[in-house]
């Protein structure tokens, strides 16, 4: 079910005009081109071609289903649900419409809706083992969630572990913290240890995590960063567990230090299967340089995302289940935004559903929680800039799409000049929108080993004029993305 369909089918739909034979032929030609682009991983181009095919023949349910699959791959789950629903409306017996809508619901952690779609798929094809397996997986996930809620695991405090009581075996040859103190040499040795695919001893992991939590707890929800004359700061976007590409950023731009500060703009983990190595590197630098390594929270620093996209499973695999809730607690202490030089707002997702929301409102957010279903905190983690004026429903199904006029009003009302955000894969690693007032930066090249995009980072000096550096992916060990993706005992990759 993972492949884009290449066969054709049309259905009668009174509200859609009957296509001419020429339009049907053109639609089929465009669909073939779109399927090819999909196979090559050029998903945005595939979407455009499917859209043109739909414009020629809006009665072909497969076109909507195929476009929905592209949206799922691009994490535009709201758009995927709309297209899959259209496919189902055109042909209520088309199993892939339900399958793809169910997958999009699952990605948004809407388990009951996902289960309903997979149940419908089984009704249509009772002998379809794959559809039945997905229905069973949804059942398991719902039962697991109910059980955890019943015993309080969904809001359980982190397990208290005394690192001093953990013995370091004589056979351990990795870096060691002396009296719990992080030094520059320790970080360098740890990074080299990680590059060799070796684990940090769990004793030192606990020590570092407890230290970084105390540092983050003292920070505000919005952190102000100065860039005096002659100094600079580098802003990076999503790295998503791509540890070897993170190391490449430090090779290209220098390691973090008191004279080379960084701001990483969320989504440190998930998808990439070296998320532990990535987050431990960033957290350890935060302990070493608390005033010069800055970290924003992304939408993937949350429980549901970590269950779905691999980080929870990776923590359990590499350090044990006891550490999962501590990571959750630390993620909840991450700041939501930084303001650089008083003029540049850096946050992960985007702006808000109401003009009335101000920067001062964000400063007052009590951030130590999971993102709610709606509201400013969720919007700044999930929203995206859009090409149209005003606000529109988000293609993701969470947050909003905001136009250039929304950006302009927000910046002017809050005395800001520029919005830097991340959250979206860009072919060149960055994109400038909204008349130069909104910049997206994404730092995970060849995202998920399939997108073929560049990564980028932004350097800001005291004049706060952005300077961009793009880079390509570097090799990494043969571990596939989302190797540890697990939710309720099943791997979300199996749904794609």
């Amino acid at each position: 079910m993972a492949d884009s369909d290449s066969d054709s089918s049309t259905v009668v739909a009174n509200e859609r005009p009957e296509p001419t034979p020429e339009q049907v032929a053109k639609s089929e030609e465009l669909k073939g081109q779109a399927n090819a682009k999909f196979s090559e991983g050029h998903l945005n181009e595939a979407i455009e071609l499917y859209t043109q095919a739909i414009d020629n023949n809006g009665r072909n349910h497969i076109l909507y289903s195929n476009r929905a699959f592209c949206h799922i791959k691009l994490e535009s789950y709201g758009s995927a649900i709309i297209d899959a629903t259209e496919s189902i409306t055109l042909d209520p017996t088309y199993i892939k419409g339900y399958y793809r809508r169910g997958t999009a619901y699952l990605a948004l952690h809407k388990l009951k809706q996902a289960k309903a779609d997979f149940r419908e798929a089984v009704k249509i094809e009772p002998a379809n083992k794959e559809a039945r397996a997905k229905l069973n997986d949804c059942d398991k996930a719902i039962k697991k969630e109910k059980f955890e809620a019943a015993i309080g695991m969904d809001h359980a405090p982190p397990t208290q572990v005394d690192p001093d009581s953990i013995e370091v075996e004589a056979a351990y040859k990795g870096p060691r913290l002396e009296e719990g103190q992080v030094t520059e040499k320790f970080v360098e040795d740890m990074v080299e240890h990680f590059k060799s695919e070796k684990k940090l001893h769990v004793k030192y992991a606990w020590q570092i995590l407890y230290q970084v939590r105390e540092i983050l707890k003292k920070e505000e929800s919005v952190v102000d960063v100065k860039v005096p004359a002659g100094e600079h700061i580098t802003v990076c976007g999503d790295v998503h567990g791509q540890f070897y590409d993170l190391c490449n950023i430090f090779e290209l731009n220098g390691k973090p230090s008191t004279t080379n500060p960084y701001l990483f703009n969320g989504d440190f983990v998930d998808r990439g299967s070296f998320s532990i190595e990535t987050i431990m590197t960033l957290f350890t630098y935060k302990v070493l340089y608390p005033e010069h390594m800055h970290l924003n929270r992304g939408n993937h620093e949350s429980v549901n995302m970590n269950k779905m996209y691999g980080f929870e499973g990776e923590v359990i695999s590499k350090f044990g289940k006891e550490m999962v809730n501590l990571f959750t607690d630390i993620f909840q202490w991450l700041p939501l935004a930084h303001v650089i030089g008083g003029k540049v707002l850096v946050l992960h997702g985007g702006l808000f559903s109401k003009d009335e929301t101000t920067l001062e409102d964000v400063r007052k957010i009590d951030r130590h929680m999971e993102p709610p279903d709606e509201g400013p905190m969720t919007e700044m983690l999930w929203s995206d800039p859009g090409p149209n004026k005003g606000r529109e429903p988000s293609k993701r199904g969470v947050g909003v799409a905001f136009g250039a006029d929304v950006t302009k009003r927000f910046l002017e009302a809050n005395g800001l000049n520029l919005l830097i955000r991340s959250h979206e894969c860009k072919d060149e690693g960055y994109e400038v929108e909204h008349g130069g007032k909104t910049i997206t930066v994404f730092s995970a090249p060849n995202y998920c080993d399939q997108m073929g995009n560049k990564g980028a980072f932004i350097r800001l000096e005291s004049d706060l004029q952005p300077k961009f550096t793009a880079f390509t992916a570097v090799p990494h060990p043969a571990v596939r993305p989302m190797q540890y993706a697990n939710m309720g005992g099943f791997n979300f990759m199996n749904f794609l």
Side-chain angles (χ1 to χ4, degrees):
M1 286 199 180
D3 295 327
S4 231
D5 295 81
S6 57
D7 61 316
S8 175
S9 178
T10 57
V11 298
V12 175
N14 293 331
E15 66 273 21
R16 295 173 181 80
E18 180 75 35
T20 65
E22 291 77 14
Q23 287 176 315
V24 171
K26 182 63 176 177
S27 180
E28 290 301 298
E29 178 187 344
L30 289 164
K31 186 174 69 142
Q33 295 172 17
N35 290 344
K37 290 295 184 182
F38 177 91
S39 298
E40 295 166 1
H42 301 306
L43 301 176
N44 286 312
E45 293 177 54
I47 287 174
E48 177 58 33
L49 288 165
Y50 284 131
T51 301
Q52 293 177 34
I54 289 168
D55 289 342
N56 278 275
N57 182 8
R59 296 190 175 196
N60 187 339
H61 60 280
I62 290 176
L63 296 174
Y64 291 98
S65 178
N66 286 3
R67 192 170 67 177
F69 195 25
C70 292
H71 285 309
I72 290 170
K73 288 279 192 176
L74 290 170
E75 302 179 28
S76 299
Y77 302 119
S79 296
I81 290 168
I82 291 170
D83 271 349
T85 300
E86 193 70 19
S87 178
I88 292 167
T89 300
L90 287 165
D91 185 355
T93 68
Y94 187 55
I95 188 173
K96 288 188 179 180
Y98 296 99
Y99 192 90
R100 283 163 187 166
R101 190 171 67 179
T103 301
Y105 277 135
L106 189 68
L108 293 172
H109 202 69
K110 296 183 177 182
L111 299 179
K112 291 182 179 178
Q113 293 95 321
K115 178 181 175 180
D117 276 334
F118 290 122
R119 183 193 295 121
E120 195 63 33
V122 170
K123 286 181 181 178
I124 293 168
E125 294 186 13
N128 189 310
K129 294 181 180 179
E130 189 174 2
R132 190 170 293 279
K134 303 317 176 195
L135 176 60
N136 291 338
D137 286 342
C138 280
D139 266 331
K140 291 177 184 176
I142 291 170
K143 289 176 181 177
K144 182 174 184 286
E145 193 171 73
K146 287 181 178 178
F147 174 75
E148 291 179 350
I151 64 174
M153 283 180 62
D154 58 332
H155 55 269
T159 302
Q160 294 300 312
V161 172
D162 178 13
D164 293 337
S165 67
I166 300 174
E167 181 180 352
V168 179
E169 302 82 2
Y172 175 71
K173 303 300 181 184
R176 295 171 180 257
L177 285 178
E178 299 299 332
E179 299 182 352
Q181 296 299 308
V182 172
T183 64
E184 184 176 346
K185 184 178 187 306
F186 173 83
V187 182
E188 292 175 355
D189 289 347
M190 182 186 71
V191 170
E192 291 304 313
H193 192 68
F194 286 156
K195 287 180 181 178
S196 300
E197 299 183 76
K198 298 175 182 176
K199 297 178 185 177
L200 180 67
H201 196 280
V202 68
K203 175 188 181 77
Y204 306 128
W206 283 108
Q207 289 179 321
I208 291 165
L209 293 179
Y210 282 137
Q211 290 181 50
V212 78
R213 181 174 64 173
E214 292 309 304
I215 291 169
L216 292 172
K217 285 173 69 173
K218 295 174 183 177
E219 295 191 335
E220 301 293 333
S221 292
V222 178
V223 177
D224 294 287
V225 180
K226 296 179 180 179
V227 186
E231 297 186 16
H232 69 274
I233 187 169
T234 300
V235 181
C236 298
D238 307 38
V239 289
H240 274 300
Q242 296 185 196
F243 170 71
Y244 295 86
D245 293 308
L246 172 66
C247 293
N248 189 40
I249 291 174
F250 296 153
E251 288 292 325
L252 295 171
N253 192 60
K255 299 173 184 175
S257 70
T258 56
T259 58
N260 193 32
Y262 280 85
L263 166 54
F264 281 84
N265 196 24
D267 281 13
F268 318 122
V269 300
D270 283 338
R271 294 213 174 257
S273 293
F274 301 95
S275 289
I276 280 291
E277 291 78 5
T278 298
I279 195 64
M280 292 306 300
T281 298
L282 295 176
F283 278 175
T284 307
Y285 270 122
K286 180 67 177 176
V287 173
L288 182 61
Y289 304 119
E291 303 298 323
H292 299 87
M293 170 58 84
H294 304 283
L295 304 172
N296 271 339
R297 188 176 186 178
N299 65 301
H300 275 266
E301 278 71 57
S302 62
V303 170
N304 288 341
M305 293 291 106
N306 294 162
K307 285 180 181 292
M308 186 79 68
Y309 291 101
F311 184 61
E312 180 181 292
E314 187 174 344
V315 175
I316 293 170
S317 175
K318 294 180 179 179
F319 283 136
K321 194 170 185 178
E322 286 184 325
M323 199 174 282
V324 171
N325 283 347
L326 179 57
F327 272 111
T328 295
D329 192 53
I330 295 170
F331 288 166
Q332 292 178 352
W333 285 114
L334 286 165
L336 300 175
H338 283 64
V339 176
I340 299 175
K343 293 296 180 180
V344 180
L345 175 63
V346 185
L347 49 73
H348 181 72
L351 297 181
F352 310 99
S353 59
K354 300 177 182 178
D355 278 349
E356 291 80 7
T357 302
T358 67
L359 181 58
E360 192 60 32
D361 293 328
V362 178
R363 292 184 186 277
K364 296 175 182 177
I365 292 176
D366 183 2
R367 68 187 187 274
H368 190 245
M369 68 173 88
E370 286 303 291
D373 291 339
E374 58 185 17
M377 179 176 173
T378 297
E379 290 161 0
M380 63 196 301
L381 294 174
W382 279 92
S383 292
D384 296 295
N388 300 322
K389 287 186 176 182
R391 297 175 174 88
E392 296 176 331
S394 170
K395 63 188 179 183
R396 299 178 187 270
V398 185
V400 298
F402 58 97
D405 57 327
V406 175
T407 300
K408 183 174 184 292
R409 289 196 300 271
F410 181 86
L411 294 178
E412 289 178 351
N414 292 277
L416 301 166
N417 292 340
L418 178 65
L419 170 67
I420 296 178
R421 43 89 61 181
S422 301
H423 195 42
E424 287 185 284
C425 178
K426 298 297 181 181
D427 288 344
E428 296 302 315
Y430 69 95
E431 185 173 4
V432 181
E433 301 173 82
H434 293 176
K437 293 299 184 179
T438 298
I439 296 174
T440 298
V441 60
F442 192 83
S443 303
N446 195 26
Y447 183 40
C448 293
D449 286 355
Q450 66 177 9
M451 297 302 291
N453 62 290
K454 295 178 182 177
F457 52 82
I458 301 172
R459 182 184 174 105
L460 295 170
E461 297 179 354
S462 57
D463 62 1
L464 302 181
Q465 296 302 305
K467 298 178 176 64
F468 304 97
T469 299
F471 57 94
T472 56
V474 298
H476 64 75
V479 181
R480 66 180 177 85
M482 290 177 65
Q483 174 71 32
Y484 304 95
N486 186 288
M487 180 180 167
F490 64 88
N491 191 325
F492 181 65
M493 287 293 283
N494 294 336
F495 285 76
L496 300 180

